[in-house]
């Protein structure tokens, strides 16, 4: 590992030791943060898997009901029945902090006093009623799935960035600092031994006189 290009002085040695202490502490904190982020990430991944399976199953059932409705009624009747929605929903987007990552939070509110079915029951079959009702109930889960999936993606990116920081400290900065401190220490010891040797020679010459 290459050492840093610094002057081998005691002042520089103290400065590098302080940097090494800070880098070592930072490495531990980032390592702990990485472990906690991975733990949180695994929780979100399990939630994402569960939600996706539930959404896919319910969406399949809804589409089956819709296909049955199309088989019984003409396309023109179906399109006319669902052309204008009977209810309106309001989506509020906020965020929450998860391990220094601002992840999205979706909340929906439905308007009060509106009909779920925007058509006359006499004009369509019951299969369309079931499809509309199931899709309406599925909307909150779809938004929750989108929220969890986006959180997983953002946490995965942050885990990768944090991993690069940890590796940079562990395999580059800390070894460089340790190597430089070792070099300066050896250089200072060498200079001290040289000074001691010169003093002993001067003392010997004075004694011989």
């Amino acid at each position: 590992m290459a050492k840093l290009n610094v002057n081998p002085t005691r002042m520089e040695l103290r400065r590098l030791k302080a940097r090494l202490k800070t880098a070592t502490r930072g490495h531990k904190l980032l390592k702990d943060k990485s472990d906690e982020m991975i733990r949180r990430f695994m929780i979100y991944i399990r939630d994402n898997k569960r939600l996706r399976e539930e959404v896919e199953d319910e969406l399949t059932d809804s589409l089956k009901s819709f296909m049955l409705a199309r088989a019984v009624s003409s396309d023109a009747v179906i399109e006319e029945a669902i052309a204008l929605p009977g209810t309106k929903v309001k989506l509020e987007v906020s965020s929450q902090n998860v391990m220094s990552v601002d992840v999205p939070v979706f909340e929906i509110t439905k308007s009060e006093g509106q009909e779920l079915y925007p058509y006359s029951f006499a004009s369509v079959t019951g299969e369309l009623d079931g499809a509309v009702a199931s899709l309406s109930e599925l909307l909150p889960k779809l938004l929750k799935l989108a929220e969890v999936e986006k959180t997983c993606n953002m946490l995965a990116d942050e885990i990768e960035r944090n991993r690069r920081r940890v590796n940079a400290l562990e395999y580059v900065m800390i070894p460089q600092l340790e190597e430089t401190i070792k070099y300066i220490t050896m250089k200072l010891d060498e200079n001290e031994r040289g000074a001691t040797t010169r003093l002993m020679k001067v003392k010997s010459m004075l004694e011989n006189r």
Side-chain angles (χ1 to χ4, degrees):
M1 176 60 64
K3 66 181 186 299
L4 299 174
N5 186 19
V6 295
N7 294 323
T9 62
R10 295 191 181 279
M11 184 178 296
E12 192 66 38
L13 180 62
R14 285 195 297 271
R15 189 179 70 83
L16 290 177
K17 284 183 176 180
R19 282 185 61 188
L20 177 60
K21 183 178 179 180
T22 302
T24 303
R25 184 170 179 270
H27 175 265
K28 183 181 183 304
L29 291 175
L30 286 175
K31 193 79 171 175
D32 293 342
K33 179 183 177 182
S34 180
D35 293 342
E36 179 61 20
M37 287 180 68
I38 292 174
R39 187 187 71 81
R40 297 277 190 95
F41 178 73
M42 295 306 298
I43 294 175
Y44 279 106
I45 285 292
R46 286 192 289 269
D47 287 344
N48 181 72
K49 181 176 182 297
R50 175 183 56 80
L51 281 170
R52 177 165 286 278
E53 290 174 351
E54 291 179 2
V55 166
E56 288 179 350
D57 290 341
E58 293 181 23
L59 189 58
T60 300
D61 294 338
S62 300
L63 292 177
K64 285 180 180 178
S65 298
F66 188 73
M67 292 303 293
L68 287 173
R70 288 189 62 187
V72 175
S73 304
S74 65
D75 290 344
V77 172
I78 297 294
E79 290 178 6
E80 182 181 355
I82 62 176
L84 295 175
T87 60
K88 293 182 180 180
V89 295
K90 181 180 179 182
L91 176 63
E92 295 182 358
V93 182
S94 59
S95 64
Q96 66 175 350
N97 190 284
V98 178
M99 299 301 296
S100 302
V101 180
D102 290 328
V103 300
V105 177
F106 301 143
E107 291 184 6
I108 61 171
T109 54
K110 293 184 178 181
S111 301
E112 297 292 337
Q114 293 185 343
E115 290 291 336
L116 176 63
Y117 307 103
Y119 48 78
S120 171
F121 291 110
S123 61
V124 296
T125 61
E127 285 77 8
L128 184 60
D129 298 344
V132 171
S134 59
L135 286 174
S136 177
E137 294 175 358
L138 186 59
L139 180 59
K141 283 189 177 181
L142 279 171
L143 288 173
K144 186 63 178 179
L145 177 60
E147 174 187 313
V148 172
E149 283 197 348
K150 184 61 178 178
T151 300
C152 289
N153 292 335
M154 295 178 72
L155 282 178
D157 292 340
E158 183 63 24
I159 288 171
E160 179 62 24
R161 284 193 292 269
N162 196 70
R163 185 186 64 82
R164 288 197 292 267
R165 296 189 194 105
V166 170
N167 289 343
L169 285 171
E170 185 173 350
Y171 299 109
V172 179
M173 179 174 284
I174 291 178
Q176 277 186 342
L177 290 173
E178 290 175 343
E179 186 69 22
T180 306
I181 289 172
K182 180 180 178 182
Y183 162 75
I184 293 178
T185 302
M186 292 176 61
K187 198 71 176 176
L188 291 176
D189 289 344
E190 181 181 342
N191 292 340
E192 187 174 347
R193 286 194 298 270
T196 302
T197 301
R198 287 193 296 273
L199 286 174
M200 291 178 65
K201 285 185 178 181
V202 170
K203 181 179 179 182
S204 178
M205 291 173 60
L206 293 175
E207 288 177 352
N208 289 336
R209 288 182 182 180

